[in-house]
Each structure stands twice: as structure tokens, then as C-alpha cells.
Amino acid sequence: MSWSKLTLALFLLVPASWTRVSRLNSAIDLAAESYAKAEYEQSITNHLILVDEFGYASPKLDYNLGLSSQFAGKVDEATGYYDKASIAPNKMLASFAYNQGGVLLGDKKEYEPALSKFKSALIQDPNNEVARYNYELLARWLERDEERKNEDQNKPEPSEFAKRKKAEADRMVEQFRFKDALNLMNEARLQDETVDAYQDFMTSLQEITEIDEQ
């Protein structure tokens, strides 16, 4: 190759490279803009252009696709993108991805797996306060839920006497006689332990009575 041809080839290459970088940057800006405008379906399309047309791939892109898919109601797709982003070398980004994955699982009532996701988010970044809040809130809820289940299992079957007293108390509540209803249930409890089957009802009456007396 002569020096003149080599020089020409180099000059032809550089503008093509500049053009691609310029187009890539424009595509990135467009994807970010559509997300910022809450145009989530368009945001998905614009982010996928980066993948399909430019071969662009990164954990940040996966996370952005996860957010756009989540808010577009495409939960399964969002889960997949968050899973990919959760193995990012960037610990903060991985933590965010784990947290969002936990939110999706929580929405599906898959509470134990959601708790595990929130825990993984904290392992990746102990300073992720959103993940910490989600973890602690769900952990406390699960603990209380387990206690409620145990209480329900241990509740006695109300006798006919207990059912009659509950019906009388219900009529008093309809007349806003909350204290009278509570006294009735407490007296019935002394005579029949199966009245404990209505403990939640009695607790509510107690709380209402205390408020009325303030």
C-alpha cells in the first residue's frame, strides 16, 4: 500500500468512527429521555436499540431495562433484567437490582424469596437504606404473621354460649355501646374460656373504649 492510499484510508475511517459515537450518544440520550418522561414502552424500545443496533451491553443498561419493564407492567421481563444487573461488578448497582427484584417478588406475595433478595441487596451494599427498610419491614411482618397463624391455631372453638354473647355484643356495637360490649365479653370470658375465640374483637373494643375515654 502506498503512503497516499494509507493516508486516505485513515481519513475515511475517522469520520465513520465519529459518526457512530455520535449516533450512539444520541441513542443513549433518547433512551434516558423517554424514561424520564415516564414513556416506559418507548423507553424499552429505545434501550433495546442500543443492544440491537450498537451491540451495547452493560449492567446499567440491564437495570434501566428492568425499571422500564417494571413500570410498563412487564414483570417477568423486569425480573430477568434485574437478575442480570444483580451480578454487576458495581456493588451499588447490584444492590439496587437485588432490591428491585425483591419488590417484584413481594408484589407477587412470594415473601420469603423477597426477603432473601433484600438481604442480598444489603450484602452488596450495607448503605442501601431503601433495601434495609424493605428487609426490616418485611422481616417484622413475617414474624407477626407467623405469630398470628400460631394464635389462630391455638384459638378454641367457641361454644354456643360464647356465640350468643358475641351476638349480644355485636348488637351493642351497632348502638355504639362499645364499653358495654367489652364488659359483656369480659364477663362471659370468666364463665367460658372459649370466648377467647373472639380475642381480636375484644382487643378492638378495648382500643375503641380507650380512645373514647381520652
Side-chain angles (χ1 to χ4, degrees):
M1 177 184 290
S2 67
W3 283 111
S4 61
K5 290 182 180 179
L6 179 60
T7 302
L8 178 60
L10 288 175
F11 274 115
L12 288 174
L13 253 180
V14 172
S17 176
W18 285 348
T19 300
R20 185 183 186 284
V21 171
S22 177
R23 287 175 54 237
L24 174 60
N25 288 335
S26 295
I28 291 173
D29 291 342
L30 191 62
E33 181 181 353
S34 56
Y35 177 81
K37 290 181 178 179
E39 298 171 349
Y40 300 120
E41 290 286 356
Q42 188 60 49
S43 177
I44 294 170
T45 298
N46 292 340
H47 278 88
L48 288 176
I49 286 174
L50 294 171
V51 177
D52 298 334
E53 294 189 13
F54 295 93
Y56 190 80
S58 75
K60 289 183 180 179
L61 178 63
D62 291 327
Y63 182 73
N64 290 344
L65 276 167
L67 287 174
S68 298
S69 299
Q70 178 180 352
F71 295 129
K74 299 181 177 181
V75 177
D76 291 340
E77 289 88 338
T79 298
Y81 288 126
Y82 287 141
D83 285 344
K84 290 174 66 177
S86 67
I87 60 174
N90 184 315
K91 298 295 185 182
M92 182 180 294
L93 178 60
S95 180
F96 285 160
Y98 272 121
N99 180 71
Q100 289 305 118
V103 169
L104 294 182
L105 287 170
D107 288 342
K108 293 164 65 176
K109 303 187 185 306
E110 297 179 16
Y111 298 123
E112 291 292 347
L115 190 67
S116 178
K117 288 282 188 182
F118 295 141
K119 183 177 181 180
S120 295
L122 288 172
I123 291 173
Q124 292 293 322
D125 180 11
N127 295 318
N128 187 338
E129 292 303 321
V130 174
R132 184 174 302 281
Y133 174 83
N134 288 339
Y135 177 82
E136 292 178 353
L137 182 67
L138 182 55
R140 286 198 298 270
W141 187 88
L142 286 173
E143 183 178 354
R144 289 197 300 270
D145 188 55
E146 187 64 27
E147 291 173 354
R148 285 193 295 270
K149 289 178 181 177
N150 291 334
E151 289 173 0
D152 289 341
Q153 290 175 355
N154 295 327
K155 281 182 180 178
E157 183 68 25
S159 66
E160 290 302 318
F161 171 81
K163 291 177 181 178
R164 288 198 302 273
K165 292 301 179 180
K166 171 64 164 55
E168 290 179 35
D170 285 338
R171 288 193 289 273
M172 290 178 180
V173 168
E174 291 173 0
Q175 300 168 9
F176 300 100
R177 296 166 56 197
F178 302 111
K179 188 171 183 179
D180 289 341
L182 178 61
N183 290 337
L184 174 70
M185 294 299 289
N186 282 331
E187 290 172 5
R189 191 180 193 180
L190 296 175
Q191 302 175 56
D192 185 346
E193 292 182 353
T194 67
V195 173
D196 283 340
Y198 302 112
Q199 182 59 53
D200 291 343
F201 174 68
M202 296 171 66
T203 299
S204 296
L205 287 175
Q206 180 69 45
E207 292 173 351
I208 294 171
T209 301
E210 290 174 356
I211 292 171
D212 287 343
E213 292 177 347
Q214 288 179 357

